[in-house]
Amino acid sequence: MSGSIIDAIIGLSVVYKALDNMGAFQRWFGFQPNTKAATVIFGLFHGFGLSTKILEYDISPDGLVPNLLAFNVGVEIGQLLVLGAILIVMGFWRRTPSFFRHAYTANAVMMAAGFVLFGYQVAGYLVA
Amino acid sequence: MYNTDMPTRAELPSTRKLVRSTAIAAVSATAILVAVVLPAEYGIDPTGVGSALNLTEMGEIKTQLAAEAEADAARDAAARAAPATGANAATLPPAAVGVVPPPVAPLAPPAPPAPERQSSLFGAIGGLFVSSAVAQEMRQDEMTITLAPGEGAEIKLTMQEGEIASFAWVVSEGGAVNYDTHGDGGGQNISYEKGRSVSSDEGTIQAAFTGNHGWFWRNRGDAPVSLTLRTSGTYTAFDRKV
């Protein structure tokens, strides 16, 4: 499957999460979509996105499985480190009185970034 | 894990506000895409903003590199599909490891390219001639190529691990090229040296592994340039690959 299509879906997942954070689904549909289910589904697409990139590197079949496992362990460690730092910063941000107003704006900006990523990938699919 | 408490319905932003925010995000994203992303990534510039910001050239270079990489991959696939012919590594004579060839004579810059493509024809004939030379002997080669603006070329020496070749190349008066002195073979890749807007270089290459080692040049200037390469060493072939 084309990497552009997967990356376009990843762009839409950013838009989805921004709307979710803004409370759009609660307002429009009256319920909060299951965050865990959404994480699994979008996590799968993000994984496909990563795997198409790895395929493009044309890596050696020699020791492929240990290399891939080691790569994934490295990715997880990196994610835990970054998420730990983000969680700390977010915790302080949440305590500020203006949090909800700023968070709404930040999510609108994030949604715009998701649309840019989506358009960029769709254009790439059409150009190629 | 603690998730933020569900806000009450009254605390949620209104549908009107949500739709407005989504519309603003979509419109800004479209503007950014058309003005910045499409020029910088694909060289598509409907508004002219990309050219004003010098982003369109970047997109054109990316598109060109992608097309060349695709052509390169197709060529590799075709080469793999064709049955292997000729000598394989096992039948080659032992490498003259550590033999340092004398430095090649300094080069005068070649004449600027003439309108006809005489120089590359000459180079092709020269390549045919030199490829019949006997392996293991110290040999010398020289080739002059013409690079149109944006064009790239590659010349490779077939070397065994540890072999050393001397080289010198020079670009015609006033010209400059980007270069990558590199090698590949047996699934390995190495880049010895890279440079931008350089008019000449000389020195030696010591093959890090058995394979093809040489130079890739690209003319990023606005006018065609000539480039003359002279090499000497115990390598077994001197070929223009691109």
Side-chain angles (χ1 to χ4, degrees):
Chain A
M1 193 173 177
S2 164
S4 296
I5 298 295
I6 292 166
D7 284 346
I9 293 172
I10 291 173
L12 287 182
S13 78
V14 174
V15 174
Y16 168 90
K17 192 55 198 163
L19 285 171
D20 186 33
N21 289 346
M22 290 159 114
F25 301 127
Q26 288 180 59
R27 165 63 74 191
W28 292 341
F29 311 123
F31 74 98
Q32 169 64 44
N34 188 327
T35 307
K36 287 173 185 159
T39 307
V40 168
I41 293 165
F42 287 128
L44 196 61
F45 279 105
H46 283 237
F48 277 130
L50 197 54
S51 63
T52 53
K53 299 286 178 296
I54 295 176
L55 282 177
E56 282 170 17
Y57 282 123
D58 207 7
I59 48 179
S60 162
D62 181 28
L64 184 62
V65 173
N67 281 345
L68 277 183
L69 285 177
F71 173 78
N72 278 288
V73 169
V75 166
E76 292 307 325
I77 292 172
Q79 288 201 352
L80 287 175
L81 285 173
V82 170
L83 287 177
I86 288 174
L87 202 59
I88 293 168
V89 174
M90 290 291 288
F92 283 107
W93 190 19
R94 274 181 200 284
R95 293 162 67 96
T96 60
S98 54
F99 172 72
F100 276 103
R101 204 156 38 83
H102 288 162
Y104 187 86
T105 312
N107 278 300
V109 172
M110 189 169 97
M111 182 156 58
F115 279 132
V116 169
L117 184 57
F118 173 73
Y120 163 39
Q121 295 300 336
V122 169
Y125 181 74
L126 295 178
V127 167
Chain B
M1 189 181 84
Y2 174 74
N3 251 327
T4 310
D5 297 312
M6 297 278 268
T8 64
R9 198 159 172 79
E11 285 172 341
L12 288 170
S14 66
T15 295
R16 190 186 154 79
K17 187 179 178 188
L18 285 167
V19 170
R20 194 165 150 266
S21 301
T22 308
I24 291 173
V27 170
S28 332
T30 309
I32 293 170
L33 264 173
V34 172
V36 178
V37 178
L38 294 185
E41 294 294 337
Y42 308 118
I44 303 167
D45 187 22
T47 60
V49 175
S51 298
L53 297 171
N54 288 330
L55 291 172
T56 309
E57 189 188 357
M58 181 160 102
E60 283 162 358
I61 290 172
K62 281 184 187 172
T63 313
Q64 184 195 13
L65 288 177
E68 284 176 8
E70 207 166 301
D72 209 32
R75 213 173 22 241
D76 283 354
R80 262 197 301 273
T85 52
N88 59 37
T91 63
L92 284 171
V97 175
V99 176
V100 182
V104 292
L107 281 168
E116 68 269 39
R117 302 184 60 93
Q118 191 185 3
S119 54
S120 57
L121 180 65
F122 171 76
I125 293 167
L128 284 175
F129 171 70
V130 297
S131 63
S132 63
V134 183
Q136 185 65 10
E137 247 170 49
M138 191 67 77
R139 54 182 278 180
Q140 293 198 353
D141 292 280
E142 183 174 328
M143 188 185 277
T144 298
I145 54 181
T146 304
L147 294 174
E151 193 182 352
E154 187 172 79
I155 295 179
K156 289 279 186 66
L157 310 177
T158 302
M159 300 169 78
Q160 299 209 47
E161 187 177 340
E163 271 186 322
I164 299 171
S166 291
F167 69 92
W169 56 262
V170 64
V171 183
S172 55
E173 203 67 52
V177 290
N178 296 348
Y179 73 94
D180 179 11
T181 308
H182 68 286
D184 60 70
Q188 287 178 285
N189 284 292
I190 188 171
S191 181
Y192 297 107
E193 196 182 7
K194 286 183 184 184
R196 283 168 177 270
S197 292
V198 178
S199 58
S200 69
D201 190 26
E202 59 179 84
T204 56
I205 292 183
Q206 179 161 24
F209 45 80
T210 300
N212 298 314
H213 302 265
W215 305 263
F216 179 82
W217 301 277
R218 189 187 293 280
N219 175 14
R220 285 285 181 210
D222 300 325
V225 298
S226 292
L227 184 151
T228 300
L229 169 71
R230 192 178 287 166
T231 60
S232 76
T234 53
Y235 51 86
T236 48
F238 177 101
D239 293 311
R240 180 167 181 182
K241 304 282 187 188
V242 176

